[in-house]
Amino acid sequence: MEHSLNILLSGTVLLLLTTIPGIRSQSSPAAAPAPPGPTNVTKILEKAGQFTVFIRLLKATGVANQLYGQLNNSDNGITIFAPSDSSFSGLKAGTLNSLTDEQQVELVQFHVIPTYVSSSNFQTISNPLRTQAGDSADGHFPLNVTTSGNTVNITTGVTNTTVSGNVYSDGQLAVYQIDKVLLPQQVFDPRPPAPAPAPSVSKSKKKTKEDGDSSDDDSPADASFASRKVGSMHNAVSFCVMCASLAWFYL
């Protein structure tokens, strides 16, 4: 009887230990929440919709993989100006197909800034912005952003547009919708190369020319001297003939 009572008490204690809040969690800690998945730009754009053409270009040029590596293997932020499908419809027919593979890469990279820019930072940003396309100097890949009230204006020297919406922002990646494709100057408005400087005259050629000029200047003087010399000889001969004639006359 006493043995049965002890078994009953032990079972009751175990039941209480497993059902009282707090006690069970101390004996078996809860599992940590799963880490967030890697940031994927194309999936973010697919979820937002209306960016089909830009997604295709991101994948075809390899820029999508480049952005994936940057976002998940470094602390560097990224800002993307994503053109909507309607913005590509505004381009002249055949524009994208007329570009070389390198130019298509530059076009896509021109929409990517290698730093995180929040919507409030646009008011104090320094122009021109450097994009992942490269040199931001005039004639290459300049991108200028200005604000007017709540409007964010973007100009490339070829395209003028505005930010029409915030697609995504997490402190490392910011994606903004724009309604025109950003066309870089180097691809769509290339500047003619600077003219080559005029060749300078070498010293030897200049000296030769001066010597030639000197020779030409001396030639008239030499001719005049020779003419006077011939005239003097002619006068002397004439005088001798006249003297001989007079002598013969008196004889």
Side-chain angles (χ1 to χ4, degrees), residues 67-248:
L67 295 176
Y68 185 88
Q70 288 179 256
L71 289 169
N72 295 287
N73 297 315
S74 71
D75 295 329
N76 296 331
I78 287 177
T79 301
I80 299 175
F81 294 114
S84 61
D85 289 336
S86 60
S87 66
F88 285 97
S89 301
L91 296 176
K92 293 181 179 179
T95 296
L96 296 180
N97 292 332
S98 67
L99 301 178
T100 65
D101 292 343
E102 180 181 1
Q103 289 174 331
Q104 287 191 7
V105 172
E106 291 173 338
L107 175 63
V108 176
Q109 289 180 330
F110 191 54
H111 292 74
V112 180
I113 302 172
T115 55
Y116 174 78
V117 182
S118 66
S119 56
S120 60
N121 291 146
F122 285 128
Q123 297 179 354
T124 57
I125 206 164
S126 298
N127 287 309
L129 291 177
R130 184 178 180 85
T131 69
Q132 293 204 163
D135 191 355
S136 60
D138 187 44
H140 295 279
F141 298 96
L143 185 69
N144 293 280
V145 176
T146 58
T147 59
S148 177
N150 294 326
T151 303
V152 179
N153 306 298
I154 305 174
T155 180
T156 71
V158 180
T159 305
N160 296 314
T161 188
T162 59
V163 172
S164 57
N166 296 340
V167 178
Y168 181 84
S169 180
D170 63 3
Q172 184 188 22
L173 170 66
V175 182
Y176 300 98
Q177 177 179 335
I178 54 177
D179 293 328
K180 284 187 179 181
V181 180
L182 301 178
L183 305 179
Q185 286 183 343
Q186 182 162 308
V187 178
F188 292 91
D189 187 23
R191 303 297 172 86
S200 58
V201 179
S202 63
K203 291 183 178 180
S204 58
K205 290 184 178 180
K206 186 175 180 181
K207 185 177 180 181
T208 302
K209 186 176 184 302
E210 290 176 351
D211 293 343
D213 292 344
S214 299
S215 299
D216 293 341
D217 292 342
D218 292 343
S219 296
D222 293 343
S224 177
F225 175 77
S227 177
R228 290 196 303 269
K229 187 174 182 181
V230 170
S232 297
M233 292 178 65
H234 178 73
N235 292 336
V237 171
S238 299
F239 178 76
C240 291
V241 171
M242 185 174 61
C243 291
S245 299
L246 289 174
W248 179 82

